[in-house]
Amino acid sequence: MTTQTTQPTTDGNAHHVHGPRMSFFQAAPEFYQAMVALDRASRKGVDPALAELVKIRASQLNHCAYCLAMHTRDARKAGESEQRIYLLNAWQEAGAFFTVKEQAALALTEAVTVLTDGFVPDAVYAQAAEHFEEAELAQLIALILTINAWNRIAVTTRMDPASL
């Protein structure tokens, strides 16, 4: 088990420094293999660029530094622009940078990830259904569920983004 320490910052405030809690996937290798298979299955038929945007947005909402580091790196490698990555956190305000289909996917990502009212609003689902065929929408939902699982694993076990 690792310890948590507090270090002063230049502005006089303190921030917590966390180390990894465990090597989760070494401790649960069958589960890891199942997650890898789930991840592979969830991406089938989803545009790779859109998949990275969804993964980044869910990771932002879940405060998952490890997944943010991984998916912003992957998005850049796939040709995503720095500007769109930076604006993703405010995609609703920066609508001109994202297609209506991407906006529908991002709205669905937020609704599924946060479940603010305990459900995904009909309007959000209907908007996504307008832009995605049923099978494609099912894959998008699978992708959102999968990145949320990865985020929760990484946040709970404090996976270190510097280890990428």
Side-chain angles (χ1 to χ4, degrees):
M1 178 156 56
T2 59
T3 59
Q4 174 180 322
T5 60
T6 303
Q7 295 180 345
T9 61
T10 56
D11 63 5
N13 295 319
H15 71 275
H16 297 284
V17 178
H18 303 284
R21 288 181 166 152
M22 72 161 70
S23 178
F24 182 79
F25 296 120
Q26 285 182 339
E30 288 181 28
F31 182 81
Y32 174 72
Q33 290 303 319
M35 282 298 298
V36 168
L38 181 64
D39 188 72
R40 187 174 25 256
S42 74
R43 287 183 277 124
K44 287 189 187 268
V46 179
D47 175 70
L50 178 62
E52 291 305 326
L53 293 176
V54 165
K55 291 176 185 181
I56 294 167
R57 187 64 189 126
S59 299
Q60 289 172 334
L61 294 167
N62 288 321
H63 306 280
C64 184
Y66 183 86
C67 294
L68 279 168
M70 176 188 299
H71 295 297
T72 56
R73 178 197 66 197
D74 292 348
R76 285 182 188 100
K77 284 182 183 176
E80 188 59 73
S81 74
E82 292 293 319
Q83 190 169 33
R84 282 176 31 109
I85 291 171
Y86 297 146
L87 291 173
L88 191 54
N89 199 40
W91 66 268
Q92 291 172 319
E93 309 265 324
F97 289 89
F98 302 97
T99 68
V100 291
K101 187 173 184 173
E102 289 170 338
Q103 291 177 39
L106 293 169
L108 186 62
T109 300
E110 291 182 0
V112 172
T113 299
V114 178
L115 292 174
T116 303
D117 296 319
F119 58 89
V120 173
D122 290 341
V124 172
Y125 186 88
Q127 180 187 17
E130 284 180 30
H131 297 283
F132 295 90
E133 300 278 332
E134 188 171 287
E136 190 180 21
L137 181 57
Q139 287 301 133
L140 177 61
I141 293 167
L143 180 75
I144 296 166
L145 298 175
T146 303
I147 188 57
N148 274 280
W150 284 120
N151 288 165
R152 281 154 176 76
I153 292 164
V155 169
T156 302
T157 62
R158 294 187 179 148
M159 292 174 71
D160 183 5
S163 68
L164 290 171

